[in-house]
Amino acid sequence: LHDRVVNMIASMWNAPVPPKGGNYSGAGTVGSTEGCLLGGLALKFRWREWYKKKHGLSDQQVLGVRPNLVISSIFQAAWEKFFRFFDVEAKVIKPNLVYDKMAVNAHDLVSLCDEKTIAVVGIMGNHYNGMYDPIWEIDKEVELLNAKMGWQIGIHVDGASGGFIAPFQEMSGKGTPGPFDFRLKNVLTMSGSGHKFGESICGTGWVVFRHREGLASHVATTVTYLGGSSDSLTLNFSRPASGPYVQFYKLLRLGKEGYISKVENQMSVASYLRHFLAGLRHPSGKKRFQMLDGGDTCCLPVVAARLNPELCLHYDDIDFQHALSESHWYVSGYSLGFENPSNGKFENLCSDENAATTMFRIVVKSNLTRNLAENLAGNIEKILAVLDDMDSGYESIHSKLKGLALEDEIPLKELREYSDSLGHLPVAPTQSLKKSQFIQQSFRKKKQQKSSILAQNIC
């Protein structure tokens, strides 16, 4: 059953048919993280064989050469694990937020490569705003570079989110401008999450290799003590069977038409929310939000935006997130900074924004119906009115929180002047107060004054 699911997914990603017949090379993994790790390891060992032969090194000598992997700064946490666990240098490029919407420039990305580069990673749907990297353009740049330099750099497609979205967008005639999978010559490995948009249970992932020899064979181990010969392509041998079973059921139950319909519905709901946010106006007449996602096509069903910087509001997207949670909606807000794995420093995530800049996203899963989206939209309007009406005490305290995204504690002495408007502080006198606690207490106080409805305490 596991192999049948691998074959179905490999076919969906247009992997070459095995020349000797049989199953495609791939495996079910524990989420997309293990899929990234396995793809990266296979590419590392492939590079090591090539580099050893090119420079006439022994098996021992080549172990002393540290390779690198080229990737956008918008990578998921799996790649940070890869760099740290498997001793690979990160070569990171920072995309532009406002104009390119976090999609990497293919030429700039590939320009970081050298002869120690094991691969370039293209992200099919990043987790900040759902934008696709132009894999089709990256492939062209890699092909030109390999031909010029005599290298053999490949591409790993990180389809953690887009692996189960982009194929069905393409089937519906609303796909990307070019191929994004194994139809491209230099795509050697591709991974995806079964639980994000594949509709399987949490902890389901997949990795597919272009071929076995010289690639998947590097991470394959064979055991014979179970009553026959069995290959294992994963980091851990024993694992639950529930993920592949649920994935198999969903693929059969929904089929292509079902997944196409599901994705189209998700994109439609995302479009509704996107246009709702884009149409909201501040009392000044200016737009409430600046949209930061890829639009209605060729991206994940994700809506990303930030409060319009031109408004110079006394609250930010993180405050917006906390306030909205009082209505039982969780909209993920975050600052645009990251720890660069190449130097260990906390830096700006994008080339055109500093690390303190904030934004938020709404991920439209299959259970976010249009009716629920309308409820979310109504709550957003109410929340904005309350935030606008926060008094000067809140604004004074908030100004002291700027730049404290990492150290998210406020000494109690900073809050004494505001304690009267809060009514009470939810901590003992010797403790500090989390920014999230402060915002929630402030919001509850104001909400009670406006509507006399007690907000439920959120844990």
Side-chain angles (χ1 to χ4, degrees):
L1 182 143
H2 165 273
D3 292 344
R4 289 182 67 183
V5 179
V6 169
N7 290 341
M8 295 167 78
I9 293 173
S11 178
M12 179 176 71
W13 291 343
N14 294 291
V17 177
K20 298 181 181 179
N23 295 318
Y24 289 85
S25 292
T29 60
V30 180
S32 62
T33 293
E34 189 184 14
C36 292
L37 299 182
L38 289 168
L41 278 175
L43 293 164
K44 176 183 177 180
F45 296 143
R46 172 180 177 266
W47 166 84
R48 182 178 288 170
E49 290 297 315
W50 171 84
Y51 193 86
K52 179 178 70 173
K53 183 177 180 181
K54 178 178 176 62
H55 293 278
L57 302 178
S58 66
D59 290 342
Q60 189 65 32
Q61 289 173 325
V62 76
L63 293 178
V65 182
R66 190 184 186 207
N68 65 71
L69 182 138
V70 176
I71 193 170
S72 165
S73 59
I74 318 296
F75 59 80
Q76 60 158 314
W79 293 108
E80 189 170 352
K81 293 176 183 287
F82 178 76
F83 300 133
R84 185 178 301 178
F85 296 169
F86 303 125
D87 196 25
V88 174
E89 178 190 359
K91 285 199 168 188
V92 178
I93 188 167
K94 299 174 182 178
N96 182 287
L97 172 64
V98 175
Y99 297 105
D100 295 331
K101 301 297 188 290
M102 293 187 176
V104 74
N105 179 281
H107 177 76
D108 294 343
L109 181 73
V110 177
S111 67
L112 296 181
C113 295
D114 57 33
E115 68 170 359
K116 295 180 183 178
T117 300
I118 64 174
V120 173
V121 175
I123 303 171
M124 279 302 290
N126 72 66
H127 53 283
Y128 289 94
N129 72 345
M131 195 69 177
Y132 295 155
D133 280 343
I135 312 296
W136 51 95
E137 295 178 5
I138 295 173
D139 180 75
K140 293 178 182 177
E141 294 291 336
V142 168
E143 180 68 17
L144 291 172
L145 182 65
N146 284 339
K148 177 182 178 181
M149 305 301 296
W151 298 341
Q152 48 96 78
I153 296 170
I155 298 171
H156 176 89
V157 177
D158 183 351
S161 296
F164 278 87
I165 293 290
F168 302 109
Q169 288 175 326
E170 186 175 60
M171 292 176 194
S172 68
K174 301 174 183 177
T176 57
F180 55 85
D181 52 24
F182 290 103
R183 288 168 292 181
L184 300 172
K185 174 184 175 181
N186 297 292
V187 172
L188 301 180
T189 53
M190 184 168 177
S191 57
S193 168
H195 63 251
K196 288 186 175 70
F197 292 106
E199 302 300 313
S200 186
I201 60 172
C202 190
T204 307
W206 303 97
V207 62
V208 175
F209 304 91
R210 189 176 191 90
H211 48 75
R212 179 180 175 83
E213 295 302 321
L215 191 61
S217 59
H218 289 305
V219 295
T221 57
T222 303
V223 296
T224 58
Y225 54 78
L226 297 178
S229 179
S230 176
D231 276 357
S232 174
L233 294 173
T234 53
L235 294 177
N236 194 61
F237 188 75
S238 301
R239 59 188 55 235
S242 51
Y245 266 90
V246 174
Q247 190 75 80
F248 184 58
Y249 168 76
K250 289 298 181 70
L251 289 172
L252 291 181
R253 175 67 180 83
L254 295 175
K256 290 182 179 179
E257 290 186 2
Y259 273 97
I260 290 172
S261 177
K262 179 188 78 75
V263 171
E264 286 186 332
N265 184 65
Q266 289 172 272
M267 295 300 291
S268 174
V269 173
S271 178
Y272 162 76
L273 288 170
R274 182 176 297 110
H275 290 282
F276 165 77
L277 292 178
L280 286 179
R281 296 282 174 174
H282 185 264
S284 65
K286 295 181 179 180
K287 290 185 176 182
R288 278 278 192 184
F289 297 102
Q290 180 183 21
M291 304 310 298
L292 297 174
D293 56 47
D296 294 337
T297 58
C298 301
C299 63
L300 296 179
V302 170
V303 181
R306 66 179 173 186
L307 293 162
N308 189 352
E310 295 180 3
L311 296 176
C312 299
L313 300 170
H314 58 272
Y315 56 90
D316 61 20
D317 302 289
I318 310 301
D319 306 328
F320 173 67
Q321 167 195 299
H322 289 308
L324 193 57
S325 71
E326 293 290 338
S327 300
H328 309 289
W329 282 102
Y330 187 79
V331 170
S332 179
Y334 36 84
S335 58
L336 297 180
F338 81 119
E339 184 177 327
N340 193 330
S342 64
N343 57 28
K345 296 180 179 180
F346 190 78
E347 299 178 354
N348 53 302
L349 188 71
C350 299
S351 61
D352 58 335
E353 298 288 345
N354 64 55
T357 302
T358 60
M359 62 179 290
F360 67 90
R361 68 173 188 183
I362 301 171
V363 180
V364 179
K365 302 295 288 290
S366 58
N367 59 350
L368 180 54
T369 63
R370 175 62 181 263
N371 285 343
L372 286 173
E374 290 174 355
N375 178 274
L376 171 59
N379 277 286
I380 288 175
E381 285 192 291
K382 294 177 183 178
I383 294 305
L384 291 171
V386 173
L387 288 172
D388 284 342
D389 198 37
M390 284 293 188
D391 54 30
S392 59
Y394 171 83
E395 186 172 354
S396 174
I397 292 295
H398 186 272
S399 65
K400 299 176 182 179
L401 299 174
K402 294 296 186 182
L404 296 180
L406 295 180
E407 300 179 60
D408 196 25
E409 294 187 352
I410 316 166
L412 284 185
K413 63 180 182 180
E414 301 287 342
L415 298 173
R416 295 300 180 190
E417 61 189 43
Y418 197 62
S419 59
D420 290 340
S421 64
L422 285 178
H424 70 284
L425 293 177
V427 288
T430 57
Q431 293 178 312
S432 59
L433 186 67
K434 293 287 186 182
K435 177 183 177 182
S436 58
Q437 292 175 311
F438 171 75
I439 293 170
Q440 287 185 355
Q441 288 293 323
S442 301
F443 177 72
R444 290 194 188 102
K445 191 73 176 179
K446 182 61 66 176
K447 188 174 182 181
Q448 290 167 17
Q449 294 170 353
K450 289 178 71 68
S451 63
S452 300
I453 299 176
L454 294 177
Q456 180 178 349
N457 189 29
I458 303 299
C459 296

